[in-house]
Amino acid sequence: MAVWTESEGKSVHDPLYHNFLTTKTDKCIVVDEPVIIGAGPSGLAVAACLKEKGIPSLILERSHCIASLWQLKTYDRLHLHLPKKFCELPLMPYPPGFPTYPTKQQFIAYLEAYAKQYDIKPVFNQTVVSAEYEDGRWRVRTEEGKAYLCRWLVVATGENAEAVIPDIEGLKRYKGKVVHTSAYRSGDMYRGKKVLVVGCGNSGMEVCLDLCNHGAMPSIVVREAVHILPREMFGSSTFGLSVWLLKYLPIQTVDRFLLIISRFMLGDTSRFGLERPHLGPMELKSVSGKTPVLDVGTLEKIKSGDIKVFPAIKHFTKHAAEFIDGRMEEFDAVVLATGYRSNVPLWLKDTEFFSEKDGYPRRPFPNGWKGKQGLYSVGFTKRGLLGASMDATRIAHDIAQCWQVMTKQPNHPTSRPST
Ligand SMILES: Cc1cc2nc3c(=O)[nH]c(=O)nc-3n(C[C@H](O)[C@H](O)[C@H](O)COP(=O)(O)OP(=O)(O)OC[C@H]3O[C@@H](n4cnc5c(N)ncnc54)[C@H](O)[C@@H]3O)c2cc1C
């Protein structure tokens, strides 16, 4: 059995405009501007905020396109989970007429327009394999054999850089198809099949619904307690309402309110095998980063029995899964909705700013955007695009202060008159 995740295409592109400096070991491209690793929404946001201040930047991206998570690793029916007003990048609102929850194609179109507006042209097919600080500069190496030397390094590789494949006993001997959600597109190819979805976050729940809608027979593994909230309450988004209430009320009061309304709208979810955690949804999010599931219709299918709920898996056999409650059931395929992780510890040779354990900045939001020696991080706040936008604005402001000083120096290339 091989687990399918989305692979990255790789071919070498030459950056067009940098001078080459020969060192003892390799050719380095000396870059005066900040280098941003990753051309997802976070990397684009930093590049745009810098551009607005007249500062160029260089983005290195391992994939062949911008927003590769959205373009290459998400399912067809995906819409933004949160309302658009919480998912805007700095400096550019969504076009008029976009729905409250844009489709993934609309979101990608917005990002493409954003890149065009700020003339952002990443260097594609460059996978960063190491970055270390030496002699006052960051040396960034790519798998494709390039090395860049820069003063400012912005880490924008995302919280979702690598698919997490859980180590479940017997998964290797299971004979059915196993895919991670990063390689799942639609339920079309699962019509009439029994599919086990492992994981009950927003993606796992939505994949189950998609499978149902395509005539498959999904079951979901719910290993831990989970908060399921209606996506909308009283005609507004639950997320928006929570953000507003949190301005005036303590978090526990907001949680109590959300749980009472959820109980009224959705019923007692524990009756269907979906126990709620002891901490309320907002408190849990702030303590652990665990996002509540915003229900888009999956719960109805669970209630009607179209989606079966199972507890944790004990082990897989060739064709079946046995669960910790002793039940055993055959499945034609498995979808792993088991999330993603940061890949920063794999390549950043700095353990002070980023934790080796989880690949996030050690200092929590809102203080995790700036490290030492020109190192920055964007999009590691566990607060989605809103958090990324806040980081990007701060980073651009910070770099601008040094940039202005640097470019005023008489020997700096940008302060020399052009010939
Ligand atoms: C299914 C799904 C739905 C979501 N819905 C929402 C939502 O509605 N609202 C919201 O706010 N958030 C949502 N999120 C979270 C979402 O991932 C982020 O908000 C957004 O994509 C983060 O952007 P980013 O640029 O930080 O990371 P990413 O989008 O992951 O971009 C990182 C980029 O870095 C590149 N990269 C990684 N490693 C390297 C390397 N070593 N070298 C070079 N390049 C590298 C990647 O190829 C990628 O293009 C969702 C996530 C998922 C998975």
Side-chain angles (χ1 to χ4, degrees), residues 8 37-43 60-63 65-70 73-75 78-82 86-87 107 126-129 156-162 203 340 343 347 378-380 383-386 388:
E8 304 287 338
I37 307 179
S42 297
L60 302 176
E61 165 58 49
R62 68 179 170 185
S63 182
C65 58
I66 63 159
S68 68
L69 177 73
W70 290 86
K73 300 183 183 179
T74 51
Y75 40 92
L78 179 66
H79 290 62
L80 284 180
H81 288 152
L82 303 180
F86 300 104
C87 299
F107 182 56
Q126 291 293 308
T127 303
V128 171
V129 289
T157 45
E159 297 171 343
N160 301 310
E162 310 296 333
S203 295
Y340 294 89
N343 65 11
W347 54 267
V378 52
F380 292 88
R383 281 164 178 77
L385 297 155
L386 193 61

Side-chain angles (χ1 to χ4, degrees), residues 22-86:
T22 306
T23 67
K24 278 182 203 150
T25 49
D26 53 11
K27 277 188 171 179
C28 279
I29 302 160
V30 177
V31 185
D32 288 323
E33 54 264 40
V35 168
I36 301 165
I37 307 179
S42 297
L44 298 178
V46 175
C49 291
L50 286 168
K51 189 63 161 269
E52 204 233 356
K53 294 180 186 300
I55 305 170
S57 60
L58 173 71
I59 304 188
L60 302 176
E61 165 58 49
R62 68 179 170 185
S63 182
H64 63 274
C65 58
I66 63 159
S68 68
L69 177 73
W70 290 86
Q71 302 220 48
L72 309 177
K73 300 183 183 179
T74 51
Y75 40 92
D76 296 345
R77 63 160 280 143
L78 179 66
H79 290 62
L80 284 180
H81 288 152
L82 303 180
K84 63 180 177 184
K85 74 169 172 172
F86 300 104

Side-chain angles (χ1 to χ4, degrees), residues 75 78 81 181 197 199-208 293 337 340:
Y75 40 92
L78 179 66
H81 288 152
T181 40
V197 177
C200 63
N202 278 298
S203 295
M205 293 292 251
E206 198 168 357
V207 164
C208 274
V293 172
Y340 294 89

Side-chain angles (χ1 to χ4, degrees), residues 48 101 120 185 207 275 287 361 412:
Y101 297 94
I120 301 168
R185 294 293 164 267
V207 164
E275 296 286 346
V287 170
H412 189 269

Side-chain angles (χ1 to χ4, degrees), residues 193-351:
K193 298 225 166 16
K194 285 180 74 180
V195 185
L196 182 64
V197 177
V198 182
C200 63
N202 278 298
S203 295
M205 293 292 251
E206 198 168 357
V207 164
C208 274
L209 182 62
D210 190 52
L211 286 162
C212 267
N213 292 344
H214 284 88
M217 291 160 282
S219 298
I220 189 163
V221 174
V222 180
R223 218 165 46 121
E224 291 173 349
V226 56
H227 277 301
I228 303 189
L229 306 177
R231 193 171 69 162
E232 312 260 311
M233 287 179 177
F234 309 114
S236 21
S237 81
T238 301
F239 182 80
L241 191 62
S242 312
V243 170
W244 182 74
L245 287 172
L246 283 169
K247 285 189 203 156
Y248 306 103
L249 298 170
I251 197 162
Q252 286 86 359
T253 311
V254 175
D255 275 342
R256 230 170 291 137
F257 169 82
L258 292 176
L259 290 174
I260 290 168
I261 305 301
S262 297
R263 173 75 182 233
F264 178 72
M265 291 177 70
L266 305 177
D268 177 6
T269 57
S270 70
R271 283 178 47 218
F272 310 102
L274 302 156
E275 296 286 346
R276 287 192 184 276
H278 294 302
L279 285 184
M282 291 299 125
E283 200 175 0
L284 188 66
K285 173 78 189 158
S286 87
V287 170
S288 71
K290 207 171 166 194
T291 309
V293 172
L294 296 169
D295 182 49
V296 286
T298 312
L299 200 61
E300 268 316 303
K301 300 280 186 192
I302 291 177
K303 286 181 184 170
S304 65
D306 291 319
I307 300 171
K308 281 206 233 173
V309 175
F310 284 97
I313 300 165
K314 208 163 151 194
H315 62 86
F316 277 99
T317 65
K318 275 186 188 169
H319 301 287
E322 186 178 346
F323 301 92
I324 54 166
D325 61 359
R327 280 184 286 170
M328 185 144 182
E329 190 137 331
E330 292 200 351
F331 294 100
D332 300 303
V334 171
V335 179
L336 298 172
T338 41
Y340 294 89
R341 66 167 154 255
S342 157
N343 65 11
V344 177
L346 299 177
W347 54 267
L348 183 65
K349 313 287 177 230
D350 171 292
T351 51

